[in-house]
Amino acid sequence: MLLAALLLAGPASAQQGDAIEHKVVDGDTLIALAQRYLMDPTQWVAIHKANPSIKDVRRLQPGSIILIPGLPPGPVAIHVSGKARYTRMGNARELAKGDELRETDTVDVEAGSYVTLRWPEGIVTHLLPGASLRLLPPPPPKRGKEKDPRPRPRVIELQQGTVESAVPAGTEGRSYQIRTRLGTAAVRGTQFGVRLPSGGAMVTEVTEGTVQLAGSGFQPVDLPPGTGAVADGSQRQPQAVPMLKAPALEEDPAVTPESGFEAGAVEGAAKYEFEIAPAADPLAIRRVEGATPVFALRPIRDGSYRTRIRAVDAQGIPGLVTARTLTVMSLAAPFLNEPENDAVLGQDVETRMLCTDIPGATHYEIDIRRPGAKEEAVKLMVAGSCDTRMPMLLVGKYEWRAYTLRQLPNGKMLRSGPSAAGRFSIVVRPPTPALKVGGGQGLSLRWEGSPDASYIVQLASDEEFKQVISETKVDLPEVTLDVPTGGAYFVRIRTLSGSVASDFTPPRIVRGPAFVGSSDGQPVRDSFGTPLGPPPP
């Protein structure tokens, strides 16, 4: 499809699939163009053959467009994530993995997108989000009609954004250049990056090898490994300055998606850059920036990842890189069971805090805090099951959350995100009533009442209240009970205030009405089965 489109875009030629357009300027000749583009002045015949409309080979019309055929292969897009496009001969197309680019093509990478190019010589160029560039043909040659024996230079004109390059040592003798409006970085066998923010200065940093930074208005400067320089378009001479040190980070870190990624701070850092890519697909890079070396990972799947983090100084020069293999393991947060949501609890009542257990968990953390309060949360660490006692708390409203923890063999503790918040209130328990036993018909009980309280009265045949005969709820601090005839019984009372209850009063012994008994102690009953009592006085 791409080849067919190119064939329709210009004059017919056997080499047109490899052709590019050149706009003629004053002084151009076919010999000079063959020397520049094809590194061999004798190839002017091939250019003429591809452009049969040229009538006089000695006079090219300035402003006219001619095709340059027979160009060597260009870089291939080996990774594209997000959206990027390239423009060739005025036609814009979406860039896809496997597309081959040619000299004079322009490439634009959208925000949040990444492109990786591999050149035939093994050079790898990473285009970061927002990068805009053009692949240039070699510069015009010096006068001469001899075939140039040197390998063909590779030239990128960076118009905006950031590119990072890895030039294998095996490409010695081949020039690889990144040009900007402020200068040119030229290398042979190195790893380096060039940044050109919109309206900003050109920043060059070298990880391996040596880069020569040259431009109009300043003397060329060699940048050894571990240094960077800034060309801002002024007459100031760029200086090689040491890159910031690499952020400290443990070997083989393991995290949960909720806990995120954290490295050590670097003195002199203005910001930090973090890259992460799946170990199985290292070109699927995601890069983020932050004022601190702490980065959130969500959303991200469990697995192994390659990461890079570096500090950036106030001039915008990136520092040395810390690279690690990161293991991401999810931990589910537990569900809260007890106390129930919006429960009202007595201040001195022993209360259980319970949440669901999670497979693989070794510990749980429970955080209790007042909503909106400034004081630190009360933290409880529980080993094994998520089951513990609530600590003594002041009267008030509280929220609580639980976290799942997993201790790794190296002693590090992974921590899940928080559970949904639970709510409860702590209130003063109502006082235990002072019981008074009165007379009258039935058993009359009275006690000192509390405002807006209700009461539970229990009657039992045993002191442990295992055999409760009756349980009565009343709203006033008095009650009359029907106690069975004869024998001793036990009564106790507790106060209710909302859902909070006081302790029961100590058991009190009460006796039922007197009765007429037989010699074996059993009551004598009338014909209706009612026990006979003594005659009235």
Side-chain angles (χ1 to χ4, degrees), residues 401-462:
R401 292 175 172 84
Y403 300 81
T404 304
L405 304 177
R406 179 185 295 172
Q407 189 168 19
L408 301 180
N410 61 4
K412 180 177 179 178
M413 197 78 77
L414 293 184
R415 186 173 185 258
S416 75
S419 67
R423 301 180 301 273
F424 63 86
S425 299
I426 299 294
V427 299
V428 176
R429 292 181 70 192
T432 301
L435 182 61
K436 300 178 181 178
V437 181
Q441 187 68 27
L443 177 64
S444 177
L445 306 177
R446 298 186 302 278
W447 57 90
E448 190 71 28
S450 300
D452 300 321
S454 58
Y455 308 92
I456 297 293
V457 182
Q458 289 185 343
L459 181 68
S461 59
D462 62 300

Side-chain angles (χ1 to χ4, degrees), residues 76-418:
V76 174
I78 60 173
H79 173 79
V80 179
S81 62
K83 292 186 177 181
R85 66 181 184 277
Y86 71 100
T87 303
R88 177 178 299 169
M89 296 184 181
N91 297 317
R93 301 173 175 85
E94 184 173 339
L95 182 63
K97 182 178 178 180
D99 286 345
E100 182 180 330
L101 300 176
R102 297 290 184 184
E103 291 171 359
T104 73
D105 286 353
T106 61
V107 182
D108 297 285
V109 183
E110 293 190 6
S113 303
Y114 298 84
V115 172
T116 300
L117 305 177
R118 186 186 298 278
W119 301 73
E121 303 80 18
I123 300 169
V124 176
T125 306
H126 298 288
L127 315 184
L128 273 59
S132 180
L133 56 85
R134 183 170 180 246
L135 304 184
L136 296 182
K142 296 179 180 179
R143 291 187 177 273
K145 298 184 178 181
E146 298 297 327
K147 180 177 180 180
D148 193 339
R150 295 174 300 176
R152 185 182 189 83
R154 299 298 193 178
V155 184
I156 292 176
E157 180 184 63
L158 179 62
Q159 298 162 349
Q160 178 179 305
T162 301
V163 297
E164 295 180 346
S165 305
V167 185
T171 58
E172 293 292 343
R174 178 180 296 278
S175 176
Y176 177 75
Q177 301 177 10
I178 297 181
R179 299 182 178 181
T180 74
R181 55 183 170 80
L182 300 174
T184 299
V187 301
R188 291 183 179 90
T190 192
Q191 291 187 9
F192 73 109
V194 176
R195 304 179 178 207
L196 186 66
S198 178
M202 174 184 176
V203 177
T204 305
E205 44 89 10
V206 183
T207 305
E208 295 180 8
T210 301
V211 170
Q212 184 183 76
L213 179 61
S216 60
F218 62 86
Q219 295 295 320
V221 56
D222 287 337
L223 304 181
T227 65
V230 176
D232 57 9
S234 68
Q235 298 300 312
R236 289 194 298 268
Q237 175 70 24
Q239 301 294 325
V241 299
M243 297 165 64
L244 294 178
K245 68 178 184 179
L249 184 64
E250 64 180 306
E251 295 290 338
D252 301 323
V255 298
T256 65
E258 296 81 8
S259 63
F261 180 92
E262 181 174 359
V266 175
E267 184 178 356
K271 63 179 181 179
Y272 296 85
E273 295 176 346
F274 174 65
E275 291 181 358
I276 185 168
D281 188 8
L283 295 179
I285 299 171
R286 186 177 72 181
R287 172 179 288 196
V288 291
E289 296 182 354
T292 66
V294 181
F295 297 95
L297 296 179
R298 303 186 71 179
I300 193 171
R301 296 180 178 179
D302 287 10
S304 181
Y305 294 83
R306 295 182 180 179
T307 62
R308 287 163 38 102
I309 186 169
R310 67 199 316 188
V312 181
D313 67 17
Q315 296 187 84
I317 300 175
L320 298 174
V321 172
T322 297
R324 293 287 188 272
T325 297
L326 175 70
T327 300
V328 178
M329 294 186 292
S330 294
L331 273 181
F335 293 110
L336 305 184
N337 289 350
E338 294 182 21
E340 295 182 353
N341 208 29
D342 294 321
V344 179
L345 309 172
Q347 187 177 24
D348 57 349
V349 177
E350 185 175 296
T351 302
R352 186 184 186 193
M353 304 194 79
L354 179 66
C355 57
T356 57
D357 288 336
I358 301 297
T362 58
H363 298 76
Y364 298 89
E365 179 186 314
I366 295 176
D367 290 4
I368 308 171
R369 67 175 69 238
R370 294 174 182 263
K374 295 182 179 180
E375 64 260 25
E376 291 288 332
V378 177
K379 296 182 180 293
L380 307 177
M381 185 72 73
V382 185
S385 294
C386 187
D387 188 355
T388 189
R389 294 181 180 180
M390 181 180 294
M392 181 66 70
L393 300 172
L394 298 176
V395 172
K397 294 184 177 180
Y398 292 87
E399 289 182 350
W400 69 295
R401 292 175 172 84
Y403 300 81
T404 304
L405 304 177
R406 179 185 295 172
Q407 189 168 19
L408 301 180
N410 61 4
K412 180 177 179 178
M413 197 78 77
L414 293 184
R415 186 173 185 258
S416 75

Side-chain angles (χ1 to χ4, degrees), residues 503-514:
D503 290 331
F504 276 105
T505 61
R508 297 283 297 273
I509 299 176
V510 295
R511 298 184 182 277

